[in-house]
Amino acid sequence: DGGITQSPKYLFRKEGQNVTLSCEQNLNHDAMYWYRQDPGQGLRLIYYSQIVNDFQKGDIAEGYSVSREKKESFPLTVTSAQKNPTAFYLCASMASGTRSYNEQFFGPGTRLTVL
Amino acid sequence: AQRVTQPEKLLSVFKGAPVELKCNYSYSGSPELFWYVQYSRQRLQLLLRHISRESIKGFTADLNKGETSFHLKKPFAQEEDSAMYYCALRTGANNLFFGTGTRLTVIP
């Protein structure tokens, strides 16, 4: 199914390397989000973007960077400064407008493993 | 600061038994609460939003501002309800703050 796609599904990297996770959406949503999902910790917000060319830090932004050059795309870079990068990463998007009825739509996720 | 607490990491019930997944929140603003569900090998998806006061797949959830709770309930659990359930709070920045999740297993 389409909507939001994330690639790759699995990603391996060596310590000290930066890696970029892709997130694309064709829902014409203004807002996009990156979460990290760890067992027993739920989802934690890394970065979010409410509009093109603008983004804000979430609760656990250290060691991560993002860009939002196009409405459809919100790539996440996991840098070597991230102390514990092995995790499952989820991207989401949401329409702007009437807030109360907006829901976030999630991608299938990328599992990153640092070797 | 906001907080969403789901006290049970794991919950097992027998098929046909009632199920209640607990969620408590702490938020200084006017709360908007949601339940999201993640079935095995599927994406995380919205199950319920409190403002709609709807029943989805037999589940209901009532926002109790006095007890700061938004518990998810279903009178008769089915095997297909087995999944990971997350309670989430929308904050003023239009972001979602998630609880740690409860894994529900319905035993046949």
Side-chain angles (χ1 to χ4, degrees), chain A residues 1-2 4-5 33 35 37 40-43 45 48 50 59 88 90 94 99-104 106-108, chain B residues 2 9 32 34 36 38 43-46 49 51-52 84 86 90-101:
Chain A
D1 51 335
I4 303 179
T5 56
Y33 306 81
Y35 295 91
Q37 189 177 27
Q41 296 196 56
L43 279 74
L45 183 64
Y48 64 99
Q50 301 286 2
D59 300 314
F88 190 62
L90 282 172
M94 185 173 73
R99 293 178 64 243
S100 295
Y101 288 89
N102 288 350
E103 70 176 270
Q104 289 192 11
F106 285 83
Chain B
Q2 67 275 355
K9 286 188 177 180
E32 292 184 56
F34 304 80
Y36 278 78
Q38 190 168 28
R43 303 181 184 206
L44 189 65
Q45 58 188 285
L46 178 68
R49 47 169 74 89
I51 199 162
S52 299
M84 192 76 176
Y86 292 97
R90 192 201 300 279
T91 67
N94 209 24
N95 298 328
L96 287 178
F97 192 85
F98 286 83
T100 52

Side-chain angles (χ1 to χ4, degrees), chain B residues 54-105:
Chain B
E54 57 206 340
S55 174
I56 303 293
K57 299 184 178 182
F59 284 98
T60 59
D62 291 319
L63 177 61
N64 186 324
K65 291 187 178 181
E67 297 183 357
T68 60
S69 69
F70 188 55
H71 302 327
L72 183 67
K73 300 176 184 179
K74 184 169 182 177
F76 307 105
Q78 303 299 315
E79 289 179 65
E80 56 265 28
D81 296 329
S82 294
M84 192 76 176
Y85 291 82
Y86 292 97
C87 183
L89 167 73
R90 192 201 300 279
T91 67
N94 209 24
N95 298 328
L96 287 178
F97 192 85
F98 286 83
T100 52
T102 297
R103 182 169 297 283
L104 173 66
T105 300

Side-chain angles (χ1 to χ4, degrees), chain A residues 14-101:
Chain A
K14 294 181 180 178
E15 276 193 49
Q17 289 181 336
N18 292 356
V19 63
T20 297
L21 283 61
S22 168
C23 177
E24 304 278 330
Q25 54 100 359
N26 61 4
L27 301 169
N28 200 33
H29 287 169
D30 287 313
M32 296 186 75
Y33 306 81
W34 274 106
Y35 295 91
R36 174 182 168 136
Q37 189 177 27
D38 294 283
Q41 296 196 56
L43 279 74
R44 292 181 290 168
L45 183 64
I46 304 172
Y47 266 98
Y48 64 99
S49 168
Q50 301 286 2
I51 198 167
V52 175
N53 291 322
D54 185 52
F55 50 82
Q56 305 294 331
K57 291 182 179 180
D59 300 314
I60 54 164
E62 186 175 348
Y64 300 98
S65 66
V66 293
S67 63
R68 188 82 188 279
E69 297 176 0
K70 298 186 298 181
K71 190 175 188 177
E72 305 80 23
S73 179
F74 191 41
L76 173 75
T77 296
V78 184
T79 75
S80 56
Q82 167 50 232
K83 297 280 188 277
N84 189 18
T86 294
F88 190 62
Y89 291 87
L90 282 172
C91 180
S93 71
M94 185 173 73
S96 55
T98 307
R99 293 178 64 243
S100 295
Y101 288 89

